[in-house]
Structures are given as structure tokens and as C-alpha cells.
Amino acid sequence: MRRSRADSLKTRHSIVLAARRVFARRGVSQTSMEHIATAAGVTRGAIYGHFRDKVALFRDMRDTAKVPLLDTIDEILLHDPSDPLAGAENYLLKVLDTLRNDAATRDTFRILLFKCEYVGEMAGETARQVERTAELISRLEGAYRAASKLSLLRKGVTPRLAALETTSVLVGVIRLWLLDEGASLVRRDTTRLIRAHIAKLRA
């Protein structure tokens, strides 16, 4: 019984890995369950034994990847309460570091940004992105509010505006980094760009 459970989890994991690879190569709308079954070396029935439909499989693929937009933000932002701006900088650099070193993260971001048309069965997924982005803004705003109380935030910059700016910078950098496969746009400068962004928020 225990072995059967382990085998089931192993099969589920292989299906998710295969879906990520195929989504990244073909795009979500052009990927069928048959494509994923072939890539995973299982039958379509095996996939439906774990996932109701392609949307459910897409969501599991997205949620099981190590996407650190929110997964690690609190522990990094709160690491040094004496300097919340340093925490924000470290968080942004951590996202970029994960993007560089974790293939599943790269593929997941690439799928979410470039390989998915949010229409038809996937239309509801935009609400999830809005929800996660709003949460990111809220947590950054809290960090910048703490920075403001410590007189670290530049005068005239509100915590809300700073959080919106940082989120826009992060999303833009991720998008450009993924596009810049030849390292001719931003990849060589992303660390300096992030540090310059935070420096401009400092008092």
C-alpha cells in the first residue's frame, strides 16, 4: 500500500514535469493531454487519474514550481528590521538568483508570461495573477512603511508608490531577462539595476 502511494506520487510528479516542458515548448493552448502523456511516458487515462483537466494540471505546475515572488518574501524582508530597504533589495536579488539557477522557475515564468493565452478555459487564471501581484505590493508596502518610520525612505515617496514602483521594476526585469537569451539587453546589468532602484528610494 505504501509502495502504491509512492508510485502514484512519482507518476504525478513526472506528469507535472512533462507538462512544464511541453507548455514551455509548445505553449499552453497548443498542448493537448496526448502531448503531455507522450512526454511523460504514460497514458491519457493516467493523467486524468490525477488531474481533472488541463487547467488543473496547469495550476499544479504553476503552484509547485519554486516561484519566490511570495514564497520567501517575508523571511527576507524581515531579516534585518533595522533596514527594510536592504531587505527589499535582498528579496529582489533572490528572485533573480532563483531565475538564473532554477530551471523550473525559469520555465514557469516563461509559460506564464509568454506561452499562455488567457482566454477560454484559461481566462480565469488572470485573476490569480492579479491576486498574487496585489499581495506582493501589500507586503512591499509594509516594508516601505517600516522604512519610512525609520526615516530611510526618500522624502516625497510614499510607501504605496514605492511598492508599486518596485513591483513594476521586478515584473519588467523578469520579462526582459527571459527575453534576453543572448545577454545583450539586461542580463549583465540586472544586479546593478536592482541596487540602483533601491538606492533611489533611500533618503
Side-chain angles (χ1 to χ4, degrees):
M1 186 69 177
R2 186 175 300 171
R3 179 177 175 78
S4 177
R5 168 72 172 164
D7 288 345
S8 177
L9 290 175
K10 184 177 180 180
T11 299
R12 182 185 180 95
H13 182 64
S14 69
I15 291 169
V16 172
L17 290 180
R20 183 178 291 116
R21 289 196 305 270
V22 180
F23 287 154
R25 186 175 71 251
R26 299 180 59 92
V28 177
S29 65
Q30 297 301 311
T31 295
S32 68
M33 290 300 224
E34 188 65 42
H35 292 135
I36 296 169
T38 300
V42 300
T43 64
R44 285 200 310 164
I47 296 179
Y48 285 114
H50 291 275
F51 302 100
R52 182 182 69 256
D53 52 27
K54 187 167 71 173
V55 175
L57 177 51
F58 172 88
R59 289 172 178 167
D60 195 272
M61 178 278 304
R62 176 198 63 202
D63 292 341
T64 55
K66 186 181 179 183
V67 182
L69 281 178
L70 291 173
D71 298 340
T72 60
I73 186 169
D74 283 337
E75 62 188 73
I76 299 174
L77 284 179
L78 300 175
H79 180 69
D80 183 3
S82 68
D83 190 352
L85 290 176
E89 180 177 299
N90 289 336
Y91 168 69
L92 298 178
L93 294 176
K94 175 69 173 177
V95 172
L96 292 175
D97 186 59
T98 305
L99 196 61
R100 292 187 192 100
N101 298 310
D102 189 85
T105 296
R106 280 196 305 277
D107 284 346
T108 300
F109 274 128
R110 188 172 284 113
I111 292 163
L112 293 175
L113 291 172
F114 303 120
K115 298 289 188 172
C116 185
E117 295 179 342
Y118 294 98
V119 296
E121 62 183 358
M122 300 302 296
E125 292 305 300
T126 55
R128 168 70 169 172
Q129 293 196 30
V130 169
E131 177 186 330
R132 296 281 281 181
T133 303
E135 191 174 350
L136 172 62
I137 292 169
S138 176
R139 296 190 189 187
L140 286 168
E141 185 176 359
Y144 291 144
R145 190 176 297 110
S148 181
K149 290 179 180 178
L150 293 168
S151 300
L152 297 175
L153 196 63
R154 181 163 56 87
K155 189 175 181 180
V157 177
T158 65
R160 176 69 176 177
L161 184 61
L164 290 172
E165 183 178 331
T166 295
T167 302
S168 299
V169 167
L170 179 59
V171 173
V173 166
I174 290 172
R175 188 179 184 89
L176 287 172
W177 194 96
L178 290 170
L179 285 171
D180 190 22
E181 294 184 2
S184 61
L185 296 173
V186 299
R187 286 199 182 189
R188 289 175 292 186
D189 300 310
T190 49
T191 297
R192 285 185 294 173
L193 190 154
I194 292 301
R195 287 177 174 157
H197 163 64
I198 296 298
K200 289 178 180 178
L201 295 177
R202 285 192 178 276

